[in-house]
Amino acid sequence: MPDLLRLALEQLENLPPSIWLRRSGTLYLLVNAAHIGSIGLLIGSIVPLDLRLLGMLKPGPLAALAPVLARTAAVGLALAVLTGAMLFSVRPLEYLGNSAFLVKMGLLGAGTLNAWIVRRGQAWARVLDQGRAGGAMRAQAGASLLLWLGCLVAGRWIGFL
């Protein structure tokens, strides 16, 4: 690991919020619970949306459901990233040495990039306008489902390594 990165991570570990989290089991528990809840919000929104886009779930009009579920997933992602960064700050050097953490970060980045591409693409506009998903949107929804569920599994894997 480059010296500059190691120094930055050591500084991060010595910031007051990181120290508070390490010293307070209750605070760590609450942030960890918020992280899990945020992940639940993200997965609980993105899985039904992806399944609906794939045509495997028919609970209601896609044009009405898609924007709500996408916004809810975005809020879940933002909160998960915030709380995850707080948890990371407690032991950053250890996490960077954990292969499951690195896999999770890669999947998180790929899932976020996929979501960004979806929201900027013509296929998403077609979903909102016509209420149905074409082949490109179904492929992106399938990729989304795999990426986010993979991220969830990798996150749980961290504690086992």
Side-chain angles (χ1 to χ4, degrees):
M1 175 179 306
D3 289 339
L4 187 58
L5 177 59
R6 180 178 299 280
L7 180 61
L9 293 174
E10 287 170 355
Q11 292 299 317
L12 174 65
E13 196 171 13
N14 290 316
L15 290 174
S18 303
I19 294 168
W20 300 334
L21 282 167
R22 269 195 310 280
R23 290 185 180 166
S24 172
T26 303
L27 182 59
Y28 187 88
L29 168 76
L30 293 173
V31 172
N32 198 343
H35 188 62
I36 292 168
S38 300
I39 293 166
L41 187 60
L42 168 64
I43 297 295
S45 300
I46 205 68
V47 168
L49 176 57
D50 288 341
L51 291 175
R52 181 63 181 88
L53 290 168
L54 287 166
M56 301 171 76
L57 190 63
K58 301 281 186 189
L62 186 55
L65 288 173
V68 173
L69 290 174
R71 281 192 302 272
T72 305
V75 169
L77 175 60
L79 292 172
V81 168
L82 175 65
T83 55
M86 293 171 70
L87 295 172
F88 174 78
S89 75
V90 173
R91 295 181 311 214
L93 293 168
E94 185 178 322
Y95 281 119
L96 282 184
N98 186 312
S99 57
F101 176 80
L102 298 176
V103 168
K104 176 184 175 179
M105 292 298 101
L107 291 169
L108 174 69
T112 302
L113 180 61
N114 182 60
W116 182 80
I117 291 169
V118 165
R119 292 297 301 259
R120 300 298 180 267
Q122 292 297 326
W124 182 254
R126 215 171 2 267
V127 165
L128 298 180
D129 290 341
Q130 300 170 6
R132 57 186 167 82
M137 179 55 71
R138 284 194 297 276
Q140 288 175 302
S144 171
L145 197 56
L146 292 174
L147 290 167
W148 291 116
L149 292 177
C151 188
L152 178 68
V153 170
R156 296 297 82 218
W157 182 30
I158 291 170
F160 293 94
L161 296 183

